[in-house]
Amino acid sequence: MDNNMKILVVEDETAIREGLCDVLVYHGYQVDSAAAGPEGYQKAASGQFDLVLLDVMLPGMDGYAICEKLRQDDREQAIIMLTARDSDADIIQGLRMGADDYVSKPFSVQQLVLRIEAVLRRSRVGQAQARTITLPAITIDTENLAGQGADGEVPFTRREIEVLSYLAQHSDRPVSREELLTKVWGYGRNLEIETRTVDIHIAKIRRKIEADPANPQSLVTVRGAGYRLDTGL
Ligand code: CA
């Protein structure tokens, strides 16, 4: 529990919005909310929130559009999408637009709070990470969240850089999805393990760092073991 953390809830259904606000206040967070898309985007874009909880279906501007627009200016903002249960399309779309994670509705309050805590805790990768990750197709500046590839500058989200940095630090072995969820996303054993979050992030990263994302040479899958970053060393 951290009383300084500020969360923005963007949700048009009054009962859910007010319920979320009550739960978060109870857990010690400072909370603000918005009921429509444009207002949610404006508040989120102010940069004053540690985390934005973003519903998908919103009047005026949907959650994907808000997420995408936010990411254009701010690659550090923590974002959790609230998606419909069992809708893979929603989940994948939200993560593609740069969300850190998602929670499916209807959600258990306990799981949501644990997920929020994990995202806010941020990874412990940060301090020890190398300033530069050099791969055959791209050179990545981890502090500026940007890479230089054959076609120019490629922007990364904070979470993508954390995944890459963790893999780079352990490039001598494969890293499992569970290890990434624990070490990078900060999930404890009390969280339901969701592997799609990791896989979709890996797919996004591959599109940015591989000359041919369908045939990855740097971020390789090790069958039955996880992912390994081949830095060529
Ligand atoms: Ca809605």
Side-chain angles (χ1 to χ4, degrees), residues 51-54 56 64 79-88 90-96 98-105 107 111-112 115-116 119 181 185 187 191-201:
L51 173 74
V52 179
L53 277 183
L54 195 51
V56 173
Y64 303 137
I79 302 169
I80 295 179
M81 303 286 299
L82 303 174
T83 66
R85 185 175 281 292
D86 292 336
S87 171
D88 280 6
D90 273 7
I91 293 165
I92 292 167
Q93 180 75 355
L95 292 171
R96 278 206 183 128
D100 291 278
D101 203 354
Y102 65 91
V103 174
S104 295
K105 289 201 258 186
F107 43 78
Q111 284 297 320
L112 176 67
R115 204 66 69 92
I116 288 169
V119 167
L181 285 170
W185 270 263
Y187 285 13
L191 270 172
E192 292 158 9
I193 291 294
E194 287 281 359
T195 55
R196 274 175 298 189
T197 295
V198 172
D199 296 342
I200 295 164
H201 273 80

Side-chain angles (χ1 to χ4, degrees), residues 44-224:
S46 72
Q48 62 178 310
F49 297 97
D50 297 291
L51 173 74
V52 179
L53 277 183
L54 195 51
D55 186 31
V56 173
M57 298 298 285
L58 292 164
M61 184 178 187
D62 72 26
Y64 303 137
I66 294 174
C67 188
E68 186 177 24
K69 229 162 125 58
L70 275 178
R71 274 287 174 261
Q72 285 166 8
D73 303 323
D74 186 347
R75 292 176 241 158
E76 306 262 8
Q77 176 71 62
I79 302 169
I80 295 179
M81 303 286 299
L82 303 174
T83 66
R85 185 175 281 292
D86 292 336
S87 171
D88 280 6
D90 273 7
I91 293 165
I92 292 167
Q93 180 75 355
L95 292 171
R96 278 206 183 128
M97 291 300 147
D100 291 278
D101 203 354
Y102 65 91
V103 174
S104 295
K105 289 201 258 186
F107 43 78
S108 100
V109 165
Q110 190 202 10
Q111 284 297 320
L112 176 67
V113 169
L114 289 171
R115 204 66 69 92
I116 288 169
E117 287 173 354
V119 167
L120 287 176
R121 205 176 295 134
R122 283 299 186 187
S123 86
R124 287 142 280 180
V125 179
Q127 312 308 324
Q129 76 183 16
R131 172 72 198 258
T132 303
I133 299 172
T134 305
L135 299 170
I138 194 165
T139 300
I140 301 159
D141 179 337
T142 62
E143 280 179 31
N144 290 326
L145 311 183
Q148 279 295 329
D151 301 324
E153 185 168 299
V154 180
F156 289 83
T157 66
R158 167 64 61 195
R159 183 69 72 188
E160 289 163 359
I161 290 293
E162 288 171 351
V163 171
L164 277 166
S165 293
Y166 190 82
L167 291 170
Q169 282 170 26
H170 302 92
S171 61
D172 56 327
R173 62 172 175 84
V175 175
S176 71
R177 293 182 179 90
E178 288 71 20
E179 182 175 344
L180 285 170
L181 285 170
T182 308
K183 302 294 187 181
V184 177
W185 270 263
Y187 285 13
R189 293 186 199 286
N190 45 4
L191 270 172
E192 292 158 9
I193 291 294
E194 287 281 359
T195 55
R196 274 175 298 189
T197 295
V198 172
D199 296 342
I200 295 164
H201 273 80
I202 294 288
K204 278 173 60 197
I205 292 168
R206 279 178 172 154
R207 282 196 288 278
K208 298 182 181 187
I209 70 168
E210 300 282 356
D212 176 9
N215 183 26
Q217 303 296 311
S218 294
L219 210 178
V220 296
T221 300
V222 181
R223 191 175 285 274

Side-chain angles (χ1 to χ4, degrees), residues 9 15-29 31 109:
V9 177
I16 299 178
R17 184 179 65 252
E18 291 181 350
L20 279 171
C21 290
D22 287 348
V23 163
L24 295 172
V25 166
Y26 175 79
H27 281 85
Y29 296 105
V31 183
V109 165

